[in-house]
Amino acid sequence: MTRVHNLYWEAAQKLSRQKLVVICLGIIAIYILVAVLGGFNVLPDYQTRVGAEYEAPSLELAKLLGTDLFGRSVLYKILAGTKTAMLIGVLVTSISVPIGVILGALAGYYGGLVDVGIVWLYTVISSVPYILMVIAISYVIGKGLVAICLAMGLLGWVGLCRLIRSEVLKTRNLEYVAAARVIGANDLQIIFSHILPNVIHLAIISASLQILGAIKSEVILTYIGVGIQDGASWGAMISDATGELVQGIWWPLAGVVLAMFLLIYSLNVVSDALRDALDPKLRGTTEVAEGDSQFEAKEAAIQKA
């Protein structure tokens, strides 16, 4: 466990030295804060009329990104949509990551019929296009936020399950696992206390990617009419903007695209940084590369001297 703790401590230090990663973490924190404030109804009501229809952006806070057809603030609608997007990302991740970790660990550790059954299950799921499966499940459960979260959560664990399974297959016969068996640890203790702590970095990386995928999927589903039906949503704003662009009304689409870009870009940067910092293989490659560059620099300095 000390080795695992050292890994995360070193990863945190490495991330803190990267300015772009720190900035992106700050942007993500702002989005989370907006979602939390929206949950406590602290944000301005996006349904309140603040001006005339389709007013262009101005320096007034409520009209910073202009107004829509009903004179409502585009900025306030984006903030309300942020709450929806972050809520979906967190809920979908909370469902899919535990499923992927548990099923992957069971398949990799036990093998045999357990492995065959789980592999068959995720092969069937992955053989059908993701969006079509989400639409089908949401139609069965019912349209709305809960249906979308359940559908995406029940389908989004496949990739992580494969990763965890492959890592557990590699580690289940290592010496520290054999030592745990010798001292009398049962299967659950070995899986959750000895094996998973050494592969859980995959779940952390997958969680950040899962949030990103859930947000994009919600926008696509709402845009085609099977997503969020009530409340503010970035997908609904993009759907409404398709007719507004013909009239030269560009600011609603520009505002929501900018909000999506900042969040998606930040999540991508943080996901890549987490992968580089936590994946032992990439860490080893990076350390070797850094060591080689330092050696070359010293050799060049010696030659100059």
Side-chain angles (χ1 to χ4, degrees):
M1 293 299 291
T2 302
R3 174 174 163 270
V4 175
H5 292 158
N6 290 338
L7 171 65
Y8 292 123
W9 174 250
E10 292 174 6
Q13 289 183 319
K14 184 177 180 180
L15 294 178
S16 66
R17 291 193 295 267
Q18 302 179 42
K19 293 182 179 180
L20 180 59
V21 175
V22 173
I23 292 172
C24 290
L25 284 172
I27 293 173
I28 294 172
I30 292 173
Y31 277 86
I32 294 174
L33 178 62
V34 170
V36 172
L37 293 176
F40 287 102
N41 296 320
V42 177
L43 298 177
D45 186 2
Y46 74 95
Q47 294 181 331
T48 302
R49 187 182 181 95
V50 298
E53 65 179 46
Y54 291 136
E55 286 191 37
S58 65
L59 295 179
E60 186 179 346
L61 179 61
K63 302 177 184 177
L64 191 63
L65 297 176
T67 62
D68 65 2
L69 174 63
F70 303 104
R72 300 175 299 187
S73 171
V74 173
L75 175 61
Y76 294 166
K77 288 177 67 177
I78 290 174
L79 293 178
T82 300
K83 170 192 168 184
T84 303
M86 297 303 294
L87 179 61
I88 287 175
V90 171
L91 288 178
V92 171
T93 303
S94 300
I95 296 171
S96 62
V97 170
I99 294 175
V101 170
I102 293 173
L103 291 183
L106 293 176
Y109 183 80
Y110 286 108
L113 292 177
V114 175
D115 186 32
V116 170
I118 293 174
V119 170
W120 175 85
L121 177 62
Y122 71 59
T123 301
V124 171
I125 292 175
S126 60
S127 64
V128 181
Y130 175 76
I131 292 295
L132 294 181
M133 285 283 285
V134 172
I135 293 174
I137 294 176
S138 62
Y139 269 124
V140 172
I141 302 175
K143 296 181 181 179
L145 178 64
V146 175
I148 286 181
C149 290
L150 283 174
M152 290 193 291
L154 293 174
L155 297 174
W157 53 270
V158 172
L160 177 59
C161 180
R162 286 174 171 169
L163 288 174
I164 296 294
R165 172 182 173 272
S166 63
E167 290 298 316
V168 173
L169 283 171
K170 297 175 185 176
T171 59
R172 66 180 181 178
N173 294 320
L174 294 180
E175 293 180 357
Y176 71 91
V177 177
R181 290 196 187 97
V182 170
I183 63 176
N186 58 40
D187 290 344
L188 292 180
Q189 289 175 329
I190 293 174
I191 293 173
F192 290 99
S193 299
H194 299 281
I195 295 179
L196 282 185
N198 291 286
V199 299
I200 202 65
H201 63 277
L202 297 173
I204 297 174
I205 298 169
S206 178
S208 59
L209 294 173
Q210 192 68 250
I211 293 174
L212 173 63
I215 292 172
K216 293 194 295 184
S217 296
E218 181 275 323
V219 170
I220 295 171
L221 290 169
T222 303
Y223 178 78
I224 62 179
V226 295
I228 303 299
Q229 303 299 310
D230 300 319
S233 165
W234 290 346
M237 293 184 67
I238 293 175
S239 179
D240 295 339
T242 54
E244 296 168 342
L245 286 176
V246 180
Q247 309 172 43
I249 311 300
W250 54 268
W251 48 89
L253 180 61
V256 69
V257 167
L258 178 61
M260 286 185 61
F261 169 77
L262 288 175
L263 179 57
I264 291 173
Y265 178 77
S266 299
L267 285 171
N268 269 320
V269 170
V270 172
S271 298
D272 290 342
L274 283 172
R275 183 196 60 195
D276 295 341
L278 292 176
D279 194 325
K281 296 177 182 177
L282 294 178
R283 280 166 52 86
T285 303
T286 304
E287 289 170 0
V288 169
E290 290 177 351
D292 290 343
S293 63
Q294 291 175 1
F295 176 78
E296 291 172 359
K298 291 180 181 178
E299 187 177 9
I302 292 172
Q303 290 177 354
K304 288 182 179 180

